[in-house]
Amino acid sequence: MPKSFRRSCLFLWFVAALALRAATPFPHEHSDLKPDPSVRFGTLPNGLRYAVMPNHEPKGRASLRLFVNTGSLHENDNQRGIAHFLEHMAFNGSTHYAAGTLVEFFQRMGMSFGGDTNASTSFDHTVYLLELPKTDAATLAEGLRVFGDYAGGLLFPAAELDKERGVILSEKRVRDSVDFRTFVTQFEFTLGGTRFPARIPIGLNEVIEQAPRERFVEFWNTWYRPERMAVVVVGDIDAPAVEKMIVAAMSSLSARAPAAPEPDLGRITPFEGVRAHFHPEPEAPATSVSIASITPFADEPDTAATRLKYLPRDIAIAMLNRRLSVLAKTEAAPFVSAFASVSESFHFMREASVNVECKPEQWAAALAVGEQELRRALEHGFQAEELKEVVANALNGLEQAVKTAPTRRSPNLADALAQTFLDREVFTTPSSDLLLYKPAFEKITPAACVAGLRESFAAPGRYVMVTGNVKIPGDAAAAIAATYEKSRATAVTPPAAETNAEWGYTSFGPPGRVLKRDHVEDLDLTLVTFVNGVRLNLKKTDFEAGRIRIAARVGYGSMSEPRTKRGLAALAGATFNAGGLGKHSADDLRRLLAGKNVRSGFGTATDALQFSGGTTPGDLPLEFQLLAAQLTDPGYRPEALRQAQKGIEQLYLSFAHTAQGPLSTEVPNLLASGDPRFGLPAQDVLMSRTLDEIKAWLTPQLMRGPLEVSVVGDLDVEATIDAVAKTLGALPTREPKLALNDLRKVSFPQKTFAKEYTIESEIPKGVVQIYWPTTDALDIQRTRRMTLLAEIFSDRLRLKVRQELGGTYSPEVENAPSDVFPGYGFLTVSIDVDPSKAGKITEVVMAIADDLAANGATDDELERARQPVLTRTRESLRTNGYWLGSVLLRAQEKPEVLEWARTRIADLEGIKAAEINALAKTYLPSARAFRVTVLPATAAAAAATGSAAPPPLLPPLPAAPAP
């Protein structure tokens, strides 16, 4: 053997040995906490770590994560933005995947771009995501090969780099907002002198636009090292086999450059007194006040003692938030909302804060509230009843986590496992967490909690910040500091003692009798009708252990909103739950239901008032008692209207400065030919609506309207029927559902329009929204084909507008047919743009639509659209959300949905390009389109770069049936 070869082998062995020593150990290797035994942990000789966990929901799928312990903090001054940019380049050319082929490859596998394959970059890490549609050996190997290319096979083609620059700038435009700008200034204020404010991940324009290829390669070679990486695989897999595949796919990775030292992040310098900061953002919808204590992070190992050490603090924060929530509802409250928090970030700092949101003229009073409520807790502590409620909820959460653990979903577990590599925490089981915390909960005292809170706010200095749409004349910082000191001089008293109430809704009359009961064998559904007309639909599943989901539809919803009372449905949705019940306020309900698994939401769907709920087998009777109480004795309390009106004021302030304004108000109304039920009204109209009007509109629907209730999950069918019989079945007779055909009429405008709206904004926000009128969702086969047409259209926009032109970050296409209004629906394109390019982008979109209409889609385009939809469809069959929302919800009112469920997959598999093309020819000619553009009014804003993501469509169309 030649000496040179022996020296090479020795050198490689030496490098591998150094890498192995340099690899970060797993947290459980130095902790008394035991990791989940189902996870196989390992470290390769090159230092790369991995974690493999078998998990069976969703069946036949696997979630993969590649964690890289590097982010924007590792950039040099001339690399600012490259960490994030590099993440984009992983999709643009590598050893095994030529530029422009990876997304299409994923689509043919049944994976959607952005949903099943994605990545994210932060200050200190980057994570790549794959959701594989199958778990056979070939698919898993392919997924790991993709990761291998991300880690060691990127090519950085110069042409692809140049094309992606526009995409990054578009993303930067999307991120730009008043919230982002406020965050940057607060970061600079609190962490000035450290590395963080100079390393915002999105980067600098000059780097994004001009950085040469060599700079990308330099960063990638320096920081994408095996010992800085970890691979996570969770799914319906054979763990030992996958472990071998990781070894085979990743062992050849090696460092491509010498290791660089970790960057100096700077130091947090203690101070005494107050440091005040003012940052005005006239376009903000509210004013925010923050009182913060920032201290260096204590890098403690994750042990049982460490976890228990911070438990009282966390409970104290929950109790403080509880107080702030109650206070916000009082008539004289000078703020809209408030919350306290304690968080650790980047292994660098710990921040304890109280944050208050208010009207601009209330900033001083809101600051006083935040300071005094924090000090009230620090000086006087907490009451036993407060502690009891919070502990009951926390302990219940741990107990439910144990019960639901068998059906946890792989994407969530993969994210949690990847997070442990960042947080350096042990991946423990819910059972072990319960064993650790339950004894501590049983012994915890108010004194221990206030001690934990005092420790979190023990630093002698406070950062006090006021930001948003407030004007503070003169020396604003001095005024803020003086206001804070004035509040500190105000004595605070202990909080008033709380009184307990008894649950007031246990009896609704003699239990109702079942009139009719059917079992749908092939779908395993039970359909019940009670003598009083209440309909009940049930499906027992094993998809979510220990969990039950509930939905109820009653009455006729927003389509029955009186035409002279615009906004009534929207205000009802905003006030109903907040009004509590006749016998119990919303705060009473929170106390009474502490430790119980009872949840309820309310909204106004287009053709029904809709309740949603969630519970467990043990609390199912209580859940139905709550629903029956909401139907028969809603509270309509004034605090609900006060809170809603505060929210409305903020909403319309945001409307004045964002594309949401016209797209939420005027445009939906125009597209419905002026029908007053479509689009939000003017602010003064909405503010004029009253609780009496809401009550008069809702009461007949709640008391007598047709009622269909659906229940799915880990339930006992007979026990569920019995619980409904004792509550909803005992109510007075319900009216049958009427067709109300006159209320179901709506029409498109006779002529198309091109509307341009301007908004007052210094932040460039260009939005192009184009609507093609289509038809309703009453023909499910047509709806499925329209869904695929929208997917094909979206992919063409991705290729042309995003990839080729760099004109947008995330073009969206939605098929939105109505299943309430016959003949009504739209296919809609929504694109955020550089304002100066809005006209060009509109022309490109129209040209793509015309080409689809004239020439149709190819078989390959259809297949790449179909496969991800099929993946989602197959997976949905094992989700309670699908069965509840798409099948059970209206199974008796609209029995054809049962047939829709039976035909989904076979119909999707059989769709032909000719069918798609016929729909494109009918609906997509540009002459049929309604065009809306929303641009900033000022020339300065139009010349800059920046945009906000467009809001969802707001014509009140229910979601299209699941294809």
Side-chain angles (χ1 to χ4, degrees):
M1 182 182 297
K3 289 184 179 179
S4 61
F5 182 78
R6 288 200 301 271
R7 284 197 298 270
S8 297
C9 290
L10 287 171
F11 175 74
L12 290 173
W13 175 86
F14 179 67
V15 170
L18 284 178
L20 183 58
R21 285 204 302 272
T24 305
F26 290 100
H28 58 259
E29 295 175 0
H30 302 286
S31 175
D32 56 347
L33 297 169
K34 303 301 179 185
D36 189 324
S38 68
V39 182
R40 298 173 72 96
F41 295 95
T43 304
L44 302 181
N46 60 11
L48 183 142
R49 293 177 292 165
Y50 63 83
V52 180
M53 181 181 186
N55 186 68
H56 304 299
E57 292 294 344
K59 290 191 179 298
R61 296 201 69 177
S63 300
L64 279 60
R65 305 289 184 267
L66 174 64
F67 171 84
V68 188
N69 188 20
T70 190
S72 60
L73 290 172
H74 297 92
E75 297 166 345
N76 297 329
D77 286 339
N78 66 354
Q79 295 175 327
R80 291 176 61 181
I82 280 183
H84 168 254
F85 201 139
L86 190 151
E87 162 220 312
H88 280 240
M89 293 308 298
F91 297 87
N92 287 290
S94 61
T95 301
H96 296 99
Y97 306 94
T101 65
L102 187 58
V103 171
E104 287 80 356
F105 174 78
F106 284 140
Q107 290 171 334
R108 294 184 187 101
M109 288 180 65
M111 300 164 64
S112 64
F113 178 59
D116 295 318
T117 171
N118 213 330
S120 63
T121 304
S122 184
F123 288 90
D124 54 355
H125 71 282
T126 304
V127 175
Y128 296 88
L129 169 155
L130 290 177
E131 297 293 337
L132 299 182
K134 296 183 290 186
T135 55
D136 59 280
T139 301
L140 286 164
E142 198 72 60
L144 291 171
R145 184 160 78 161
V146 170
F147 276 2
D149 272 16
Y150 293 170
L154 299 187
L155 300 178
F156 302 104
E160 298 301 318
L161 275 169
D162 289 340
K163 285 199 297 186
E164 200 68 21
R165 296 182 198 275
V167 177
I168 304 293
L169 291 173
S170 295
E171 182 176 359
K172 189 173 185 181
R173 187 172 58 246
V174 170
R175 307 290 183 220
D176 197 3
S177 65
V178 294
D179 287 341
F180 177 74
R181 294 185 178 194
T182 300
F183 159 75
V184 170
T185 65
Q186 289 182 319
F187 227 39
E188 291 171 345
F189 172 63
T190 57
L191 295 177
T194 74
R195 194 175 182 86
F196 288 89
R199 291 298 183 273
I200 305 298
I202 196 63
L204 301 178
N205 279 20
E206 54 264 34
V207 174
I208 297 168
E209 293 172 337
Q210 301 171 17
R213 177 182 182 277
E214 293 73 23
R215 207 170 294 168
F216 292 85
V217 175
E218 177 189 15
F219 182 89
W220 183 61
N221 285 343
T222 301
W223 299 109
Y224 273 56
R225 305 172 59 85
E227 70 271 17
R228 302 184 72 89
M229 298 180 182
V231 171
V232 174
V233 181
V234 181
D236 200 4
I237 57 171
D238 177 357
V242 170
E243 187 173 19
K244 293 177 182 177
M245 297 172 74
I246 292 173
V247 172
M250 299 294 177
S251 291
S252 62
L253 295 175
S254 61
R256 298 174 298 277
E262 288 291 327
D264 183 0
L265 303 183
R267 303 288 181 273
I268 293 175
T269 305
F271 66 93
E272 294 187 4
V274 176
R275 290 184 178 176
H277 171 68
F278 174 57
H279 175 69
E281 283 286 352
E283 298 174 30
T287 291
S288 297
V289 177
S290 177
I291 303 167
S293 175
I294 299 177
T295 54
F297 176 72
D299 198 1
E300 302 166 287
D302 185 21
T303 63
T306 302
R307 292 190 179 188
L308 293 176
K309 174 182 176 180
Y310 294 107
L311 180 63
R313 176 201 71 185
D314 296 340
I315 295 298
I317 290 294
M319 288 189 285
L320 180 54
N321 281 327
R322 175 183 178 277
R323 287 184 182 178
L324 292 170
S325 174
V326 173
L327 188 59
K329 299 182 183 70
T330 59
E331 186 171 4
F335 65 100
V336 178
S337 62
F339 70 93
S341 66
V342 178
S343 60
E344 288 83 21
S345 302
F346 315 115
H347 301 279
F348 181 78
M349 69 175 188
R350 175 173 292 144
E351 179 177 3
S353 66
V354 173
N355 304 276
V356 187
E357 195 166 85
C358 62
K359 296 180 180 180
E361 66 272 16
Q362 295 176 323
W363 75 267
L367 174 55
V369 167
E371 188 280 325
Q372 290 171 28
E373 286 307 309
L374 172 60
R375 187 155 44 88
R376 193 186 316 278
L378 292 171
E379 291 182 7
H380 298 291
F382 300 97
Q383 300 175 7
E385 286 301 317
E386 294 176 291
L387 178 62
K388 180 181 178 182
E389 177 186 323
V390 172
V391 166
N393 287 328
L395 187 56
N396 179 61
L398 289 170
E399 292 169 344
Q400 293 308 310
V402 173
K403 295 176 181 178
T404 59
T407 52
R408 291 176 293 178
R409 296 186 68 78
S410 296
N412 299 334
L413 289 169
D415 289 340
L417 261 172
Q419 190 69 28
T420 64
F421 288 100
L422 175 65
D423 295 339
R424 304 169 199 166
E425 293 182 351
V426 181
F427 187 75
T428 51
T429 66
S431 295
S432 62
D433 291 343
L434 180 60
L435 288 173
L436 174 66
Y437 288 115
K438 186 174 182 179
F441 277 132
E442 292 171 348
K443 298 177 183 177
I444 199 167
T445 64
C449 294
V450 74
L453 189 68
R454 288 168 181 163
E455 191 276 333
S456 297
F457 285 91
R462 291 283 191 273
Y463 295 95
V464 182
M465 295 165 276
V466 178
T467 63
N469 60 354
V470 61
K471 295 179 181 179
I472 303 179
D475 188 341
I480 293 168
T483 301
Y484 180 77
E485 294 297 346
K486 179 181 178 181
S487 177
R488 286 186 62 198
T490 303
V492 292
T493 58
E498 295 183 355
T499 58
N500 289 324
E502 294 293 328
W503 175 239
Y505 300 93
T506 57
S507 178
F508 299 89
R513 293 185 296 107
V514 172
L515 176 66
K516 182 181 179 183
R517 175 171 175 170
D518 296 312
H519 187 254
V520 182
E521 293 292 339
D522 61 327
L523 300 178
D524 194 21
L525 312 178
T526 300
L527 309 179
V528 177
T529 302
F530 288 89
V531 170
N532 68 348
V534 171
R535 293 167 167 177
L536 173 65
N537 310 319
L538 305 105
K539 181 174 177 65
K540 178 178 176 61
T541 72
D542 59 0
F543 310 151
E544 295 176 320
R547 291 181 177 174
I548 298 172
R549 299 192 187 201
I550 296 171
R553 284 166 48 86
V554 59
Y556 298 96
S558 64
M559 74 174 185
S560 68
E561 176 186 271
R563 291 175 180 261
T564 59
K565 299 187 185 302
R566 288 196 70 192
L568 194 62
L571 191 63
T575 58
F576 187 85
N577 266 9
L581 300 172
K583 297 179 182 179
H584 307 303
S585 69
D587 290 322
D588 291 337
L589 288 173
R590 191 199 62 246
R591 287 189 289 267
L592 285 164
L593 302 177
K596 303 293 184 181
N597 299 290
V598 175
R599 177 171 51 84
S600 178
F602 174 83
T604 52
T606 310
D607 61 341
L609 307 174
Q610 194 158 302
F611 293 85
S612 60
T615 187
T616 60
D619 286 327
L620 183 69
L622 181 59
E623 177 77 26
F624 279 113
Q625 288 174 3
L626 175 60
L627 178 54
Q630 290 176 310
L631 291 170
T632 58
D633 192 26
Y636 302 112
R637 282 180 165 75
E639 60 262 30
L641 183 61
R642 285 196 300 268
Q643 288 294 98
Q645 289 179 336
K646 290 178 181 179
I648 290 168
E649 290 176 350
Q650 289 189 359
L651 178 67
Y652 279 80
L653 282 171
S654 72
F655 281 176
H657 303 293
T658 67
Q660 290 184 2
L663 294 176
S664 301
T665 55
E666 290 189 33
V667 174
N669 187 253
L670 289 173
L671 291 172
S673 300
D675 190 317
R677 299 170 298 177
F678 287 69
L680 291 173
Q683 180 179 353
D684 60 340
V685 174
L686 186 53
M687 292 288 281
S688 71
R689 300 279 75 84
T690 68
L691 289 177
D692 286 340
E693 291 175 328
I694 294 172
K695 184 176 182 179
W697 180 54
L698 292 184
T699 297
Q701 298 184 70
L702 297 175
M703 295 296 291
R704 302 185 299 275
L707 175 59
E708 186 163 0
V709 184
S710 302
V711 190
V712 63
D714 192 1
L715 56 87
D716 179 281
V717 171
E718 302 306 324
T720 304
I721 295 173
D722 181 66
V724 174
K726 293 176 179 176
T727 51
L728 307 179
L731 300 181
T733 300
R734 317 300 295 191
E735 298 170 348
K737 189 91 173 186
L738 302 177
L740 299 181
N741 291 328
D742 287 345
L743 295 181
R744 297 178 184 271
K745 293 178 181 178
V746 65
S747 62
F748 303 118
Q750 291 185 354
K751 295 182 179 180
T752 61
F753 57 72
K755 300 280 292 184
E756 183 171 309
Y757 295 90
T758 56
I759 53 175
E760 294 296 328
S761 178
E762 294 182 1
I763 300 174
K765 298 175 184 289
V767 172
V768 169
Q769 197 126 326
I770 306 174
Y771 306 80
W772 284 264
T774 55
T775 188
D776 55 57
L778 302 178
D779 181 339
I780 193 63
Q781 291 186 326
R782 180 180 59 210
T783 299
R784 290 167 181 156
R785 284 146 183 81
M786 287 296 298
T787 297
L788 289 185
L789 175 59
E791 295 285 339
I792 292 167
F793 198 168
S794 178
D795 199 53
R796 286 202 180 182
L797 292 176
R798 175 187 65 83
L799 290 169
K800 182 68 176 180
V801 182
R802 175 185 159 117
Q803 296 301 118
E804 183 178 331
L805 300 178
T808 191
Y809 175 57
S810 182
E812 297 179 2
V813 183
E814 180 186 8
N815 176 41
S818 173
D819 61 356
V820 174
F821 302 107
Y824 195 72
F826 291 93
L827 188 145
T828 306
V829 168
S830 182
I831 301 181
D832 58 85
V833 296
D834 179 335
S836 66
K837 298 178 181 178
K840 179 181 179 180
I841 296 299
T842 300
E843 291 174 1
V844 170
V845 174
M846 302 294 271
I848 292 173
D850 275 336
D851 184 66
L852 273 171
N855 302 312
T858 66
D859 288 336
D860 181 62
E861 285 180 307
L862 171 58
E863 203 58 25
R864 288 190 291 108
R866 184 204 323 265
Q867 290 307 319
V869 172
L870 277 171
T871 297
R872 295 195 298 267
T873 301
R874 294 184 180 113
E875 182 178 329
S876 73
L877 294 174
R878 286 191 57 79
T879 63
N880 288 335
Y882 162 70
W883 286 103
L884 183 65
S886 295
V887 183
L888 290 177
L889 193 63
R890 298 174 297 171
Q892 295 191 59
E893 176 190 337
K894 196 177 183 72
E896 57 265 37
V897 300
L898 303 184
E899 189 59 29
W900 295 358
R902 296 182 178 104
T903 61
R904 292 172 80 210
I905 293 177
D907 190 25
L908 285 169
E909 290 176 334
I911 293 173
K912 305 298 183 185
E915 298 173 279
I916 300 293
N917 296 340
L919 292 171
K921 183 177 181 179
T922 299
Y923 295 119
L924 287 186
S926 59
R928 302 186 69 255
F930 296 85
R931 290 170 288 161
V932 175
T933 306
V934 187
L935 300 175
T938 63
T945 57
S947 173
L953 292 176
L954 285 180
L957 305 180

